[in-house]
């Protein structure tokens, strides 16, 4: 019979656990939904907090959501015990609070207050946005706002980027200003003190906390500022290794909402980046447009979002691998305000650009030296180490006959082919790292192909991912000349035919003379 929870729609208000300041009842669940005007934000604070304690808050607990309740991507935190939650500032105009008690041990509960458009607060997400009060309209006089960023599960340094900035100027920024501190309080080292209309530089913390302080005096204002932040590590990484793995934040658990994460893969010149999708589950397509309008992952050729779009995905399912046209590839994850999912897991490998051709009797392989500049030629070989590459000009070259270098004949799809394995040994110290490519030739048509059969964690990838287009075409795009090999098998075959004809003529003439 206990009534609790409800919708709070005023510009400010208070609420508390049932019976507060007395003990709350057993076995209850209350949900408060705070909804203010569209475009506004909510600042939530607690004046009293006392719930049953458990290390994982498994008994009595209070949950705060940055938006609709029970969407794990919106969860700001779960709290119990006697330590009150920090002040929370929502990223939009909705905030939800859930309180639950079990059948044992009741305490005094909590008392909370909220206010629309109050500035400052605690921000714990992996990424987010902050603005001055009333932005983009002029901010109020005599304002003081403190945004404490960090304390979430990401744990990496924070990057702060200002996208708009107009604050009253003055010598020494003594009137209105924005100050940034490398830690949770103003006692931390200062990272900058800004005013005027020049945008502050990109700021990176040394620890997983930042404090942004905004102050205005009694007169003369401005448009204010808009800035976004993101956590390095889970949400912002640069990969330079030849192969690697990456995943969405918190994978395989639900990713947070309101994210923009970027993963940049940057390999040595000459390489291409091949991406394998090991697992994918994002929010599905829009029922209205059929497009990936909500949460989505996009891949761009090169290091920026200005590059060619290689793909844009949402929902769940198996995706074909993609290959970049340059040595850099950028992955960008956007998530909206609700409906979080498991996310994704990806592996990538640097694909060595090469030209592979064949005749009726030989393989010809050419690899630009710049792609494997750190390797000696004997670590690139076909079939066996005795068939190592030769260094010719600015290229590694292998020219070998079919009856050597571990080559064998097979029937595939009722077609006779000749195959061998190209090994590129990147091993260092005790860490073995050998990439294997299957090289195949159809002698009758003199057509060659190459296939990656061992790259990033082969046990997790399907075997024999076809790289013909990714390598043959890309190899021709490099500045190295193609091998111009002469098909000596055709010349040899024609010579035998001519010789046989001459012998037949001589035999006929001899019979006539006899």
């Amino acid at each position: 019979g206990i009534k609790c929870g409800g919708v709070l729609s005023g510009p400010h208000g208070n609420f508390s656990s049932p019976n507060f300041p007395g003990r709350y009842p057993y076995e209850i669940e209350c949900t408060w939904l705070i909804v203010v005007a569209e475009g506004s934000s909510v600042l939530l604070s607690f004046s009293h907090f006392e719930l049953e304690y458990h290390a994982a808050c498994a008994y009595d607990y209070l949950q705060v959501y940055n938006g609709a309740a029970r969407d794990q991507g919106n969860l700001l935190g779960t709290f119990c015990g006697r330590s009150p939650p920090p002040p929370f500032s929502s990223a939009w105009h909705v905030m939800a609070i859930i309180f639950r008690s079990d059948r044992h041990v009741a305490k005094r509960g909590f008392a909370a207050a909220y206010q629309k458009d109050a500035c400052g607060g605690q921000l714990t997400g992996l990424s987010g946005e902050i603005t001055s009060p009333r932005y983009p309209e002029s901010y109020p006089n005599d304002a003081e706002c403190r945004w404490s960023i960090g304390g979430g599960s990401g744990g990496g340094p924070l990057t702060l980027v200002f996208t708009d900035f107009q604050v009253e100027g003055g010598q020494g920024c003594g009137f209105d200003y924005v100050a940034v501190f490398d830690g949770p309080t103003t006692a931390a080292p200062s990272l900058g003190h800004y005013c005027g209309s020049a945008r502050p530089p990109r700021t990176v913390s040394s620890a997983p906390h930042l404090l942004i302080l905004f102050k205005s005096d009694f007169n003369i204002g401005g448009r204010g500022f808009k800035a976004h932040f993101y956590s390095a590590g889970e949400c912002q990484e640069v990969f330079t290794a030849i192969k690697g793995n990456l995943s969405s934040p918190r994978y395989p658990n639900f990713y947070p909402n309101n994210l923009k994460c970027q993963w940049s893969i940057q390999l040595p010149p000459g390489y291409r980046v091949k991406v394998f999708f090991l697992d994918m589950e994002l929010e599905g397509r829009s029922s209205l447009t059929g497009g990936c309008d909500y949460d989505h992952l996009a891949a761009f050729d090169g290091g920026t979002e200005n590059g060619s779009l290689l793909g844009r995905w949402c929902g769940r399912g198996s995706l074909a691998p993609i290959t970049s046209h340059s040595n850099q590839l950028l992955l960008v994850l956007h998530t909206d305000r609700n409906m979080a999912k498991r996310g994704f897991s990806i592996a990538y490998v640097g694909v060595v650009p090469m030209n592979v051709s064949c005749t009726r009797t030989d393989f010809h392989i050419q690899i630009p030296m710049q792609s494997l500049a750190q390797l000696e030629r004997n670590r690139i070989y076909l079939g066996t180490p005795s068939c190592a590459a030769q260094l010719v000009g600015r290229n590694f070259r292998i020219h070998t006959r079919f009856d050597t270098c571990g080559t064998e004949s097979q029937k595939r799809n009722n077609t006779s082919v000749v195959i061998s394995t190209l090994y590129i040994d990147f091993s260092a110290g005790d860490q073995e790292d050998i990439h294997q490519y299957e090289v195949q030739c159809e002698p009758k048509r003199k057509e060659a192909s190459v296939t990656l059969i061992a790259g990033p964690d082969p046990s997790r990838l399907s075997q024999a991912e076809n790289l013909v287009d990714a390598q043959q075409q890309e190899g021709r795009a490099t500045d190295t000349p193609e091998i111009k090999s002469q098909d000596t098998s055709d010349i040899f075959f024609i010579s035998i035919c001519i010789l046989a004809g001459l012998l037949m003529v001589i035999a006929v003439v001899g019979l006539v003379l006899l």
Side-chain angles (χ1 to χ4, degrees):
I2 298 294
K3 290 185 178 181
C4 63
V7 177
L8 307 173
S9 57
H12 56 83
N14 300 275
F15 61 97
S16 61
S17 53
N19 298 339
F20 181 83
R23 295 179 183 273
Y24 50 76
Y26 300 119
E27 294 190 289
I28 60 167
E29 182 169 316
C30 311
T31 300
W32 290 270
L33 189 65
I34 304 172
V35 183
V36 296
E38 185 88 31
S40 299
S41 61
V42 179
L43 178 64
L44 176 69
S45 59
F46 292 83
S47 58
H48 184 85
F49 193 85
E50 184 185 355
L51 307 185
E52 180 186 5
Y53 175 77
H54 179 264
C57 293
Y59 304 145
D60 301 351
Y61 60 82
L62 182 138
Q63 292 180 319
V64 181
Y65 289 86
N66 182 25
R70 302 197 184 284
D71 187 332
Q72 292 300 307
N74 284 337
L75 182 63
L76 294 175
T78 301
F79 307 94
C80 60
R82 298 178 63 92
S83 298
F88 283 108
S89 181
S90 69
W92 57 310
H93 70 291
V94 177
M95 181 175 274
I97 298 92
I98 294 179
F99 169 61
R100 182 187 180 279
S101 67
D102 63 7
R103 64 180 64 185
H104 307 288
V105 187
K107 298 290 185 180
R108 292 181 60 198
F110 68 89
Y114 76 92
Q115 186 176 350
K116 184 188 86 167
D117 285 336
C119 62
Q122 178 77 29
L123 302 170
T124 59
L126 294 177
S127 68
E129 184 177 270
I130 61 173
T131 60
S132 52
R134 302 177 185 171
Y135 178 87
E137 298 178 4
S138 183
Y139 53 78
N141 294 326
D142 297 314
E144 180 172 333
C145 310
R146 294 171 185 246
W147 291 270
S148 180
I149 304 174
S153 61
L158 293 162
T159 299
L160 178 69
V161 179
F162 287 88
T163 55
D164 190 18
F165 196 85
Q166 186 188 53
V167 173
E168 180 190 3
Q171 188 173 5
C173 294
F175 305 126
D176 301 351
Y177 64 86
V178 174
V180 183
F181 297 90
D182 193 14
T185 69
T186 54
S190 173
L191 294 176
H193 196 89
Y194 308 106
C195 62
S197 58
R199 274 192 301 170
R202 177 188 297 258
T203 302
V204 181
S205 69
S206 63
H209 287 94
L210 270 178
L211 177 69
I212 295 97
L213 172 63
F214 169 62
K215 277 192 174 184
S216 65
D217 63 7
F218 62 92
N219 64 1
I220 305 179
R223 187 171 63 248
F225 67 88
K226 181 179 182 180
H228 68 266
F229 67 90
Y230 54 82
S231 172
E234 276 194 284
C235 195
Q236 195 86 8
E237 291 185 86
V238 176
F239 296 87
T240 57
I242 298 300
K243 63 179 180 179
N245 292 75
L246 59 98
S247 60
S248 53
R250 301 178 185 170
Y251 177 86
N253 298 317
F254 283 15
Y255 50 75
N257 289 325
N258 296 305
L259 287 181
K260 181 182 180 182
C261 299
Q262 296 186 344
W263 297 269
S264 178
I265 303 171
Q266 302 173 6
L267 301 185
Y271 276 89
R272 305 294 180 263
V273 183
K274 190 171 184 71
V275 172
F276 302 87
F277 298 91
L278 308 181
D279 185 25
M280 172 74 75
E281 185 183 5
L282 304 179
E283 184 179 2
R285 293 178 178 273
S286 167
S287 59
L288 296 176
T289 67
C292 294
D293 299 337
Y294 308 132
D295 301 351
H296 62 268
L297 177 70
F300 298 90
D301 194 24
T304 69
E305 294 181 61
N306 295 325
S308 300
L309 181 66
L310 299 175
R312 180 182 169 108
W313 307 275
C314 57
R316 62 182 302 175
S318 299
L319 301 175
I322 60 169
T323 305
S324 69
H325 302 294
S326 68
N327 62 320
Q328 296 187 42
L329 183 142
L330 180 69
L331 292 164
V332 181
L333 172 67
H334 286 269
T335 68
D336 61 9
R337 296 172 175 175
N338 51 30
M339 199 66 72
K341 296 292 184 179
R342 186 173 69 246
F344 64 84
S345 176
I346 282 175
Y348 77 87
V349 62
V351 177
V352 178
M354 63 181 76
N355 286 327
V356 178
S357 60
C358 67
T359 67
R360 296 179 187 272
T361 59
D362 302 75
F363 272 125
H364 297 271
I365 301 171
Q366 178 173 282
I367 304 172
M369 189 181 72
Q370 66 171 353
S371 301
L372 302 172
Q374 76 276 28
L375 295 184
E376 297 178 0
R377 67 174 186 84
N378 60 0
R379 301 183 72 172
I380 307 160
Y381 55 90
L382 186 68
T384 63
S386 61
C387 294
Q390 301 296 318
L391 186 57
V392 180
R394 299 173 61 187
N395 300 289
F396 291 110
R397 291 187 181 180
I398 297 177
H399 181 188
T400 181
R401 294 183 61 83
F402 289 159
D403 55 359
T404 60
C405 300
T407 303
E408 60 181 62
S409 299
Q410 291 185 3
K411 277 275 190 181
R412 293 188 177 178
N413 298 323
N414 296 321
T415 302
S416 297
V417 295
V418 179
I419 64 169
S420 188
T421 303
L422 176 68
Y423 297 88
I424 302 179
D425 188 355
F426 292 97
S427 302
D430 297 331
Q431 189 69 34
E432 184 177 275
D433 184 12
I434 301 176
H435 293 200
Q436 300 175 35
Y437 296 81
E438 182 184 86
V439 181
Q440 176 180 310
C441 176
E442 189 179 338
K444 286 186 178 180
R445 302 175 64 180
K446 294 180 285 183
E447 289 186 354
S449 64
V450 59
T451 302
L452 178 68
I453 57 176
D457 198 1
S459 64
R460 299 177 66 186
L461 300 178
S462 59
Q463 294 294 301
E465 294 289 352
N466 201 328
L467 300 181
V468 179
D469 293 338
Q471 291 186 315
Q472 297 284 71
Q473 296 175 11
E474 292 163 7
R476 286 192 287 272
T478 62
D479 59 356
T480 56
E482 252 188 76
I483 298 173
K484 299 185 181 296
S485 56
Q486 184 179 4
D487 192 348
T488 55
S489 59
D490 287 347
I491 297 173
F492 183 69
F493 178 74
I494 294 170
S495 300
I496 290 176
C497 291
I498 294 172
L499 180 61
L502 290 173
L503 290 173
M504 289 179 64
V505 170
I506 293 171
V508 170
V509 172
L511 287 172
V512 171
L513 293 175
L514 289 174

